[in-house]
Amino acid sequence: MVVSAILVAILATMGQWWFFGPVTKCLVYPLTTGTLVGLFMGNPMLGMLAGANIQLIYLGWISAGGTMPSNTIVAGIFGTAMTILSGADPKMAVTFAIPFSMLGLLLNQVYMTVNAAWIHRADKLLDRGNLRGVRLMNFVPSACMSFILYGIPAFLLVYSGSSWAQQLINMVPKHLINALEVVGGIMPALGIAMLLNYLGKKKLIPWFFGGFFLTVYSGLGITAISIFSAIIALVVYLGSNNKEEKVKKKKVKRLSVNKKIEDVEVAPVDDKENNTTVAPEYTKKLSKSTLVKTWLWSTSTEACYNYERLQALGATNLMITPIRELYDTNKRRAEELKKYMVFYNSEVFTIGPIINGIACSMEEARANGEDIKAKDINAVRTGLMGPVAGIGDTVMQGILFPILFGIGCSLALEGNYLGPILSFVVFESLIFGCGYFMFMTGYKQGKTSLLKILKNGTIDKIINAFSIVGLMVVGAMAATRVTVNTPLAITVGKGTTKIQDVLNSLAPGLIPLGLTLLVWWMLKKKVNTVYIIIAIFVVGILSYYLGILGFAG
């Protein structure tokens, strides 16, 4: 048990201490951490099932702008550990995870508040030209805080053993456990509704219902729905491109051989000769290895995330590598790095790296004597960080994550270990492949690169296409993962009519659909998610005891 406790403590520490994205990014998600906790505690199947049940609640929780609506790290690790210790049914994991998640919000506030102290220490180190000290300040103190706040409690929870947890679960009456299973059956409606609220542009909402009814009538699984919806999205995307090409065609006037003016249809000409930018020959130039290292360092931008300047210390840390190559003295390097020690916050992994690439491009020009001031570089960075965060968070948290982890949860709940493995591998490959491409694009094309990408509307089209996939997958999840029905029946004479049979004859899954839409309506009315969670507990327990709802899992 000691080894298990140590491993879970390390996992909890790394889950909050985002020192290197390729390792730590998926440790935020309960499907991944639940499986790992199960592996460390000797019961990987129960851990995976518990993590998948917890993950379904949080598919729609978007963390942006330094806010954390719920602490999924604590929910996944501590909720799964408690499920394994108590030997409870994995459907009960949700009831353990939610209280831990609320406690995790307090831990996160302490973590980000204390981290603000380290950036002031880094300011002083930079004044003395101690670049290595600045880099260590980005990692070491935050690691210690993460271990104290997350690692030690996780160790104590697992080390305390299973006897007390099993006694606790044995004290709970069987009928209350059944009522809590109904709560667990309703709870995924919250995560699904939050995704619907995030992705639900009016013109795209029908795709949600398409995914729902396609699932309930055909019986197709979420993986099949994902493939089917991806084909539809591709057709829509290509269709929008063709439509745009037709719109771009315009009439021009041409003098014919007979000296008559006639109208002809031509496509716009791409004048590559005039649009090509010739890169200046610099004496100081960043090497490919330096650029790759800088991109890798960008994945640790949130290692010392804090309330005062958010990603400032991480942004300074990643720029140490190119600044060292461009300037010869530590004094000059320190001076150049000071401009990055200001408030900064953007998306880190997918679209956000383009800003770091642009900064490298501008730093290279500045080092070669071009008229680029420090305030110019910061003006570009601060001007782009908001729009880029909006696009990046939508792509990563609003589209890629729910699609891939929705599929992963479905596979996991069927007892298939490919669920957490595939979702982890594909998600990490996509976000870091995209991040690398955007970083290099920013470096090669400079500050005009993002404007070009935004101007041609490609990003909007891609987001709309992915949103179709996301909404159909969300619809399929509403049909399969909100697992409640009604045991109500009407007796007339000797005949008994089950209400659920009547509803199924109209359209299967009407109760899960109704509950999902009700939670979505509450979110649109700006009802606090904590109140919605409380309402789900109250409604689930009361409806079970009144015989209105039952668990259909």
Side-chain angles (χ1 to χ4, degrees):
M1 190 61 73
V2 175
V3 174
S4 297
I6 292 172
L7 291 173
V8 173
I10 293 171
L11 180 67
T13 301
M14 292 169 58
Q16 179 58 66
W17 179 47
W18 301 328
F19 68 96
F20 186 53
V23 174
T24 60
K25 181 56 197 167
C26 281
L27 299 186
V28 176
Y29 303 133
L31 179 60
T32 304
T33 54
T35 306
L36 290 173
V37 168
L39 183 65
F40 297 158
M41 296 182 67
N43 197 336
M45 179 58 70
L46 180 54
M48 181 179 69
L49 293 173
N53 277 286
I54 296 169
Q55 183 70 83
L56 287 175
I57 312 172
Y58 298 111
L59 277 177
W61 295 74
I62 307 295
S63 178
T67 62
M68 182 178 277
S70 187
N71 197 320
T72 57
I73 305 158
V74 173
I77 295 174
F78 287 63
T80 300
M82 187 65 186
T83 304
I84 294 173
L85 287 171
S86 63
D89 190 286
K91 293 186 284 290
M92 286 286 290
V94 172
T95 59
F96 296 134
I98 290 174
F100 278 124
S101 176
M102 297 299 123
L103 172 63
L105 288 178
L106 176 60
L107 296 179
N108 183 66
Q109 289 173 356
V110 175
Y111 178 76
M112 290 188 63
T113 300
V114 175
N115 275 351
W118 319 133
I119 198 165
H120 291 286
R121 177 63 181 159
D123 285 331
K124 295 176 181 178
L125 290 169
L126 200 54
D127 286 337
R128 298 203 295 263
N130 187 347
L131 306 191
R132 180 172 292 182
V134 172
R135 176 155 282 171
L136 290 175
M137 202 52 54
N138 185 55
F139 294 104
V140 177
S142 55
C144 295
M145 285 305 304
S146 183
F147 176 71
I148 292 169
L149 293 172
Y150 291 79
I152 292 176
F155 175 86
L156 294 175
L157 176 64
V158 177
Y159 183 70
S160 62
S162 60
S163 58
W164 70 272
Q166 290 172 354
Q167 289 174 5
L168 179 65
I169 204 73
N170 290 336
M171 290 170 59
V172 181
K174 178 64 177 174
H175 55 81
L176 181 56
I177 290 176
N178 292 337
L180 291 174
E181 286 183 348
V182 173
V183 172
I186 300 173
M187 199 62 75
L190 176 57
I192 293 167
M194 292 183 78
L195 277 174
L196 190 56
N197 197 41
Y198 193 74
L199 296 174
K201 296 178 183 178
K202 287 184 179 179
K203 65 179 181 179
L204 297 178
I205 285 296
W207 294 109
F208 165 78
F209 292 99
F212 180 87
F213 287 110
L214 184 61
T215 301
V216 296
Y217 283 117
S218 70
L220 290 174
I222 288 180
T223 304
I225 295 293
S226 301
I227 296 170
F228 186 70
S229 60
I231 295 170
I232 294 174
L234 181 61
V235 171
V236 171
Y237 175 75
L238 294 175
S240 67
N241 278 346
N242 291 335
K243 188 182 293 183
E244 184 178 302
E245 286 176 9
K246 289 179 182 178
V247 171
K248 279 184 179 179
K249 287 184 179 181
K250 58 183 181 181
K251 289 186 177 182
V252 298
K253 303 218 171 178
R254 187 181 72 188
L255 187 63
S256 69
V257 176
N258 297 325
K259 297 188 179 183
K260 291 180 181 178
I261 302 295
E262 58 182 7
D263 291 336
V264 293
E265 292 274 347
V266 297
V269 178
D270 182 16
D271 188 357
K272 294 182 180 178
E273 201 170 314
N274 292 332
N275 290 335
T276 302
T277 303
V278 179
E281 290 294 330
Y282 291 149
T283 56
K284 296 180 179 180
K285 193 165 180 65
L286 295 174
S287 65
K288 183 65 179 288
S289 63
T290 295
L291 291 171
V292 172
K293 288 175 186 176
T294 304
W295 166 69
L296 288 172
W297 281 120
S298 73
T299 66
S300 62
T301 305
E302 295 175 319
C304 192
Y305 211 31
N306 62 88
Y307 281 132
E308 184 177 321
R309 292 183 237 173
L310 294 180
Q311 299 170 0
L313 186 52
T316 306
N317 172 69
L318 75 91
M319 291 304 296
I320 289 175
T321 301
I323 291 293
R324 272 179 172 161
E325 187 166 22
L326 292 172
Y327 299 100
D328 298 326
T329 66
N330 252 22
K331 182 179 180 182
R332 180 65 190 276
R333 291 167 181 166
E335 285 301 316
E336 293 298 330
L337 285 169
K338 284 181 180 179
K339 61 178 168 288
Y340 295 98
M341 292 288 284
V342 296
F343 179 92
Y344 180 80
N345 192 48
S346 194
E347 188 269 328
V348 174
F349 301 106
T350 54
I351 310 298
I354 195 171
I355 300 178
N356 303 322
I358 292 169
C360 286
S361 175
M362 296 180 76
E363 284 289 359
E364 190 177 72
R366 177 174 164 84
N368 282 277
E370 292 203 20
D371 187 21
I372 295 177
K373 300 179 176 61
K375 65 179 182 180
D376 297 331
I377 297 175
N378 268 348
V380 171
R381 292 174 68 245
T382 55
L384 291 178
M385 70 181 187
V388 164
I391 298 170
D393 287 336
T394 299
V395 170
M396 186 179 72
Q397 298 187 65
I399 296 175
L400 293 180
F401 160 64
I403 292 173
L404 294 173
F405 278 77
I407 295 170
C409 283
S410 295
L411 291 172
L413 290 171
E414 293 170 2
N416 193 335
Y417 286 113
L418 282 177
I421 293 171
L422 281 180
S423 56
F424 173 84
V425 172
V426 177
F427 182 70
E428 297 263 350
S429 300
L430 286 175
I431 65 172
F432 290 106
C434 179
Y436 178 79
F437 171 77
M438 295 304 290
F439 177 88
M440 291 303 178
T441 299
Y443 169 72
K444 291 173 183 176
Q445 298 188 21
K447 62 184 179 181
T448 60
S449 55
L450 185 61
L451 298 177
K452 289 179 183 177
I453 292 170
L454 294 175
K455 188 177 179 180
N456 63 23
T458 301
I459 289 289
D460 286 337
K461 291 177 199 170
I462 292 173
I463 287 176
N464 282 339
F466 273 110
S467 294
I468 291 172
V469 180
L471 285 166
M472 290 193 73
V473 169
V474 167
M477 291 176 62
T480 57
R481 298 308 168 201
V482 183
T483 50
V484 288
N485 58 16
T486 178
L488 287 174
I490 299 174
T491 303
V492 179
K494 293 184 179 180
T496 301
T497 302
K498 294 182 178 180
I499 301 299
Q500 188 63 53
D501 291 340
V502 175
L503 293 175
N504 288 341
S505 66
L506 295 172
L510 285 179
I511 291 177
L513 178 62
L515 288 170
T516 302
L517 294 178
L518 176 61
V519 176
W520 181 37
W521 175 82
M522 295 172 73
L523 290 171
K524 290 181 76 68
K525 292 295 181 181
K526 308 297 183 184
V527 178
N528 191 296
T529 51
V530 175
Y531 297 148
I532 295 176
I533 289 173
I534 293 171
I536 290 173
F537 267 92
V538 172
V539 169
I541 292 172
L542 286 179
S543 62
Y544 170 78
Y545 282 114
L546 294 173
I548 299 172
L549 291 178
F551 182 69

